[in-house]
Amino acid sequence: MSDFATEFDFVLPKGYVDAAGTVHREGSMRLATAADEILPQKDPRVQGNPAYLVLILLARVVVRLGALDAINPKVIEGMFAADLAYLQDFYNRINSSASLRVSVACPSCQHTFEVEPEKVGE
């Protein structure tokens, strides 16, 4: 198995609440391809409102969210603003050419250290 990870686990700060009231927080996102960034620009929703690009893009790269069967732009639209901001930041971190390491602090002792987002399957 390769050490090159293409999917990364995340936990949303608030969680997506589906129509039945179930909260979905844990998910995974795959690395974006060139097509993921180019094809949504042809979508009429994006052409009418460029801000919609992020919704389509995230719907393409979020491969799992809780027990949901499918992730589509409507799911991303229904997220709390904090979760949308978290996913945008997570997308930028995992798709950046820079190091995937992030600085975190222990909530108990406040010691800071760097970690990498969790690779799927580890």
Side-chain angles (χ1 to χ4, degrees):
M1 189 164 166
S2 171
D3 283 342
F4 181 70
T6 59
E7 287 188 11
F8 300 87
D9 289 334
F10 62 81
V11 178
L12 295 174
K14 304 283 185 199
Y16 171 75
V17 182
D18 66 20
T22 304
V23 179
H24 306 271
R25 292 187 66 216
E26 296 181 9
S28 64
M29 182 184 292
R30 68 171 172 78
L31 293 175
T33 64
D36 291 324
E37 295 206 348
I38 294 169
L39 294 177
Q41 295 184 39
K42 296 179 181 178
D43 190 293
R45 295 169 292 187
V46 173
Q47 292 174 349
N49 180 1
Y52 204 81
L53 175 64
V54 70
L55 301 177
I56 295 176
L57 182 58
L58 290 173
R60 291 177 64 101
V61 298
V62 173
V63 294
R64 181 180 59 78
L65 182 58
L68 295 177
D69 291 331
I71 290 82
N72 55 47
K74 282 285 186 203
V75 169
I76 306 297
E77 279 180 16
M79 290 185 168
F80 295 110
D83 291 333
L84 179 61
Y86 174 87
L87 287 177
Q88 288 177 287
D89 180 62
F90 193 75
Y91 175 92
N92 289 331
R93 280 189 285 139
I94 70 169
N95 286 289
S96 165
S97 59
S99 170
L100 294 178
R101 298 182 72 76
V102 294
S103 182
V104 296
C106 173
S108 298
C109 69
Q110 303 306 315
H111 175 74
T112 59
F113 53 97
E114 289 191 348
V115 297
E116 286 192 30
E118 195 173 302
K119 297 175 186 174
V120 173
E122 284 192 344

